[in-house]
Amino acid sequence: MSLMHKFLGAAAAVALSAGAALAEPALIFDLGGKFDKSFNEAAFGGATRWAEETGGTFREIELQSEAQREQALRRFAEAGANPIVMTGFAFGNVLSEVAPDYPDTKFAIIDMVVDSPNVRSVVFNEHEGSYLVGMMAAMASESGTVSFIGGMDIPLIRKFACGYVQGVKAVNPDATVIQNMTGTTPAAWNDPVKGSELTKAQIAQGADVVYAAAGGTGVGVLQTAADESILSIGVDSNQNYLHSGKVLTSMMKRVDNAVYDAMTSGVDLETGFNVMGVANGGIDYAMDEHNASLVSADMKAAVDMAKGKIASGELAVHDYMSDNTCPVE
């Protein structure tokens, strides 16, 4: 009888391990599309890296409407996907409702905090990276006027803008920083035509470096900047390659690492609040063969010095979302 118990116990253990191995992670992209060359594409890159390194597979869906958020979450949870990773603050309310219904499923949300025992909330110190590229913009500018184009007008994007202005002013206190948001609805993330129009208007006001934090809309910003012979700054992914020799740098928000880490952890994903910033490699600026000729040794040295001070805590960049104000605007 004891032998039979041992046999059954071993069989159960094998079945459990097999079940765990079969659990596939899932990735839900925010509006704007998987290949937005920015935020969503960075997430896809992290998932793809995980799949290539492990031989595993993941499920995915590109949303076409707001109504699909809850549908996608529940569908993946019901199908046994674990963990389920989603990109974007807009999943916050829906996840707060869905997560408690699936206590055995782990969820990871990027750019929003959801207080649930089975959720990992990943946020980034975008203001730190925006400060660094702001410094670079001020050093590269010949007119003393630089600009910023955001996507949807929300506190998160104001956080990018405020960090950028702080970096610009640290280099040149007399600099002018023009700011525009693309819109107030999710459509603002995928409107490259509007991004192009805003860029032209800023150029008309003297801007010679423009920083875009606008998802797919930023593609239009970078294209117009290149066409009009001014410099641009990319965001989230390394966008230097899009217009080689014309993109000054990109503010790297390592969404890919957040997704990769979540999928690597699998069903053992540690939940809770996670902050990714300069100090832990979650935020950086991009240097490669595409912008090497645009960034002098002195520029890089100055930015790297500031980067080190931010990492050590010696330099504190104000976070707009801490009080919804920006001290330098």
Side-chain angles (χ1 to χ4, degrees):
M1 184 65 96
S2 64
L3 184 62
M4 180 59 74
H5 282 154
K6 289 179 180 178
F7 173 76
L8 291 173
V14 169
L16 284 171
S17 62
L22 290 172
E24 283 183 309
L27 178 58
I28 308 176
F29 299 101
D30 205 352
L31 298 173
K34 176 169 64 176
F35 297 117
D36 62 359
K37 304 188 186 302
S38 186
F39 182 76
N40 285 316
E41 194 159 333
F44 179 63
T48 301
R49 173 158 47 108
W50 171 82
E52 290 174 347
E53 290 184 8
T54 64
T57 57
F58 62 93
R59 305 180 188 194
E60 60 178 285
I61 184 171
E62 294 182 72
L63 299 185
Q64 303 301 316
S65 70
E66 290 290 332
Q68 289 183 298
R69 294 189 192 279
E70 183 171 354
Q71 296 170 7
L73 277 171
R74 293 192 182 278
R75 189 179 79 182
F76 282 140
E78 293 286 352
N82 201 1
I84 300 172
V85 185
M86 65 220 72
T87 60
F89 68 94
F91 284 97
N93 291 337
V94 173
L95 182 59
S96 295
E97 297 176 3
V98 172
D101 293 341
Y102 303 94
D104 296 328
T105 301
K106 300 288 183 67
F107 299 89
I109 182 169
I110 297 170
D111 278 355
M112 179 54 70
V113 177
V114 173
D115 186 12
S116 184
N118 55 335
V119 174
R120 169 183 283 189
S121 301
V122 183
V123 297
F124 290 82
N125 290 341
E126 296 96 347
H127 54 300
E128 296 177 349
S130 296
Y131 182 98
L132 298 178
V133 301
M135 288 182 64
M136 198 171 287
M139 288 185 280
S141 176
E142 296 180 358
S143 69
T145 298
V146 300
S147 61
F148 173 88
I149 293 176
M152 188 175 174
D153 190 357
I154 53 173
L156 175 63
I157 300 303
R158 295 277 175 182
K159 180 180 179 180
F160 282 83
C162 182
Y164 179 64
V165 176
Q166 290 175 78
V168 171
K169 297 287 190 177
V171 170
N172 180 7
D174 298 322
T176 298
V177 185
I178 304 165
Q179 299 181 51
N180 293 109
M181 297 292 179
T182 304
T184 57
T185 70
W189 302 120
N190 196 22
D191 192 346
V193 173
K194 182 67 177 293
S196 175
E197 293 171 352
L198 290 172
T199 305
K200 289 179 180 178
Q202 293 178 342
I203 292 170
Q205 297 174 70
D208 60 358
V209 184
V210 56
Y211 174 30
T217 298
V219 174
V221 175
L222 270 58
Q223 178 67 60
T224 300
D227 291 345
E228 299 291 332
S229 299
I230 71 163
L231 294 172
S232 61
I233 297 174
V235 77
D236 294 341
S237 298
N238 182 352
Q239 298 182 316
N240 295 355
Y241 72 95
L242 291 176
H243 302 282
S244 186
K246 297 182 179 181
V247 180
L248 180 62
T249 187
S250 297
M251 199 287 281
M252 298 278 286
K253 178 174 173 180
R254 300 307 301 269
V255 176
D256 58 329
N257 286 348
V259 173
Y260 174 85
D261 290 345
M263 290 188 172
T264 299
S265 298
V267 297
D268 297 320
L269 178 72
E270 289 187 12
T271 56
F273 184 59
N274 284 250
V275 180
M276 299 182 72
V278 165
N280 61 3
I283 293 287
D284 208 343
Y285 71 97
M287 286 296 305
D288 56 26
E289 69 275 18
H290 298 290
N291 69 333
S293 63
L294 302 174
V295 181
S296 70
D298 288 345
M299 289 167 65
K300 188 174 186 306
V303 174
D304 284 343
M305 180 178 294
K307 179 180 169 182
K309 289 181 178 180
I310 292 171
S312 70
E314 182 181 347
L315 172 59
V317 183
H318 180 76
D319 178 356
Y320 177 90
M321 292 181 69
S322 67
D323 59 5
N324 285 339
T325 66
C326 190
V328 293
E329 293 184 287

